[in-house]
Amino acid sequence: MAARGAVARAHRAVAECLYAGAWAVDATVGNGHDTLFLAQMVGEGGRVDGVDTQTPALSAARARLAEAGVLDRVRLHQGGHERLPYLLPGQAAGRVQAVMFNLGFLPGGEKTLITRPETTLAALDASIALLAPEGRLSVVAYPGHPGGAEECAAVMEWAEGGSGKELHILARDAPEESDRGVPRMVALERIPF
Ligand SMILES: C[S@@+](CC[C@H](N)C(=O)[O-])C[C@H]1O[C@@H](n2cnc3c(N)ncnc32)[C@H](O)[C@@H]1O
């Protein structure tokens, strides 16, 4: 199924920097749609690490990836993305081409188990060290659920700061859209060291 809206914009932003054999990270695996997209982009010789806190999410994703025949190039980790540096091997530092975040709750799952600003910002900070020069990071944030607007605002503020100027913004959705609960995407690129 093709992604739509903010998720499709995130896919386009990271697709431009991915190639066969690349390493990518899905920081919020959920039902595995984004993980599958990344696995297809990096090809047989590539690698995707996916992280999620929930067992049902990882089970659904594993089934989707197996059905598509790409599970062998994906490593799924159960845990919070704020622990990314501990979940991934040390050699990931500076070698990951793309990190994707698709925030909020698991579609079809428990709606109170959401991503939260403190851990999301910690994970975004941790992602910077993973990115290769000119590697890309995308975030889709959902202002429509309780707590979602605050998280969306925190992510956009983090992005605007260029997080210590190690990143620059490539594309972002217009701010006024959050007022209507519309998902917002921001994509950033790692400035070469
Ligand atoms: C909108 S869903 C992700 C959708 C997914 N990328 C897809 O393609 O189906 C958000 C996911 O974030 C997960 N999540 C919540 N807190 C998290 C955390 N601290 N670390 C990693 N994942 C988290 C939820 O369990 C949920 O599965």
Side-chain angles (χ1 to χ4, degrees), residues 26-34 51-54 57 79-82 102-107 113-115 119 142:
D26 185 350
T28 50
V29 167
N31 291 315
H33 298 281
D34 298 317
V51 175
D52 203 292
T53 46
Q54 294 194 61
H81 43 210
E82 61 279 11
N102 190 343
L103 304 174
F105 55 82
L106 176 67
L113 298 177
I114 52 173
T115 53
T119 41
Y142 298 83

Side-chain angles (χ1 to χ4, degrees), residues 37-179:
F37 158 76
L38 291 170
Q40 288 168 335
M41 292 300 301
V42 303
E44 262 181 70
R47 169 174 175 155
V48 179
D49 284 79
V51 175
D52 203 292
T53 46
Q54 294 194 61
T55 305
L58 294 170
S59 302
R62 190 173 289 107
R64 185 179 309 283
L65 297 164
E67 191 181 340
V70 299
L71 188 56
D72 54 343
R73 67 191 79 155
V74 179
R75 277 115 172 134
L76 294 173
H77 310 271
Q78 185 156 15
H81 43 210
E82 61 279 11
R83 297 185 58 247
L84 264 180
Y86 308 100
L87 296 171
L88 268 57
Q91 63 264 41
R95 292 180 55 195
V96 172
Q97 280 300 122
V99 183
M100 296 191 77
F101 288 79
N102 190 343
L103 304 174
F105 55 82
L106 176 67
E110 174 53 65
K111 288 190 167 49
T112 57
L113 298 177
I114 52 173
T115 53
R116 298 186 183 277
E118 310 74 44
T119 41
T120 297
L121 294 186
L124 288 169
D125 281 338
S127 299
I128 298 173
L130 297 177
L131 286 174
E134 299 183 325
R136 294 186 177 189
L137 186 156
S138 69
V139 188
V140 176
Y142 298 83
H145 63 267
E150 291 74 13
E151 183 179 44
C152 186
V155 166
M156 293 301 164
E157 189 180 333
W158 180 91
E160 273 150 31
S163 213
K165 303 292 172 225
E166 292 178 279
L167 302 166
H168 68 94
I169 294 178
L170 291 170
R172 78 183 125 169
D173 293 337
E176 59 275 15
E177 291 193 359
S178 66
D179 299 336

